[in-house]
Amino acid sequence: MITIPEGLTVRRPNAEDHARVLAVLDRWWGDFKGQAGSLERALLLPRLFFQHFTTTSYLAERPDGDLAAFLIGFFSQSDPNVAYIHFVGVEPAMHGRGVATALYRGFFDEARACGRRHVHCITSPGNTVSYAFHVRLGFQVLPGAVGAGNPPIQPDYDGPGLDRVVFTLDLAGP
Ligand SMILES: CC(C)(COP(=O)(O)OP(=O)(O)OC[C@H]1O[C@@H](n2cnc3c(N)ncnc32)[C@H](O)[C@@H]1OP(=O)(O)O)[C@@H](O)C(=O)NCCC(=O)NCCS
């Protein structure tokens, strides 16, 4: 399904993986944004993603079965041209080895095969690694973003005080 480095195996997640993924979020995100960030992350990954979005999501495990990475994505119900990557994380010890790139490329291939033209996703302002990662993969910040800073943000995008950087990638591009 996906060619992934480091001898990892990739499969679809299921409901039994929900607790395992929640358990690593704070460590994998380096406690980004403290307690508020912890709550926000947990609420971004309710169980339903491990029940109803499994066929467009991935979970990578090490040979010993430990969790190495996950990608939660889906194909838009509303726009048949769009696929959406909701949440992705890689075990910190495996950062910088192409694991997330492999999961994204696998998702891109499946999205393309299902007739999707664009991939959308968002990240939090201040998550500079996530920003660099998405730009490196060819994502562009959605036109209309405001703010003179780098990265440009969309204020209150996800609700009051919940600013976001909004990305889009054209799967037909280079
Ligand atoms: C963002 C994240 C998923 C990247 O995963 P990864 O497997 O380390 O990424 P890759 O090895 O595939 O990196 C691909 C490119 O992204 C960029 N990148 C990755 N980590 C980077 C870093 N720490 N600083 C700058 N650029 C970085 C590089 O350009 C890299 O390409 P290169 O190695 O050829 O230069 C990972 O850092 C992570 O899990 N972070 C915590 C969770 C998170 O922020 N998730 C995303 C928001 S939902």
Side-chain angles (χ1 to χ4, degrees), residues 157-170:
Y157 183 83
D158 265 340
L162 298 175
D163 304 343
R164 298 288 182 252
V165 180
V166 181
F167 292 110
T168 183
L169 178 98
D170 186 344

Side-chain angles (χ1 to χ4, degrees), residues 22-154:
L22 286 190
V24 300
L25 291 183
D26 287 343
R27 185 171 64 81
W28 286 18
W29 262 249
D31 289 319
F32 182 60
K33 293 205 284 186
Q35 264 201 313
S38 177
L39 182 62
E40 206 180 303
R41 280 186 290 279
L43 292 176
L44 279 168
L45 273 190
R47 191 179 191 87
L48 67 90
F49 282 105
F50 295 80
Q51 294 170 311
H52 303 294
F53 295 82
T54 59
T55 59
T56 48
S57 299
Y58 309 111
L59 190 132
E61 291 169 315
R62 296 203 285 228
D64 62 6
D66 278 359
L67 196 59
F70 66 87
L71 181 155
I72 303 294
F74 54 88
F75 298 165
S76 173
Q77 298 274 316
S78 313
D79 187 340
N81 287 315
V82 171
Y84 190 91
I85 295 179
H86 174 63
F87 222 41
V88 62
V90 175
E91 153 67 44
M94 310 199 91
H95 282 179
R97 301 186 198 177
V99 174
T101 298
L103 295 181
Y104 269 63
R105 295 216 181 285
F107 183 86
F108 295 166
D109 287 346
E110 290 193 319
R112 226 183 258 112
C114 289
R116 306 290 160 146
R117 171 77 190 262
H118 299 281
V119 178
H120 293 178
C121 61
I122 60 172
T123 198
S124 294
N127 192 342
T128 51
V129 172
S130 174
Y131 181 75
F133 168 76
H134 285 94
V135 169
R136 170 84 161 121
L137 275 191
F139 281 89
Q140 299 195 317
V141 178
L142 204 66
V146 299
N150 188 18
I153 58 161
Q154 305 241 359

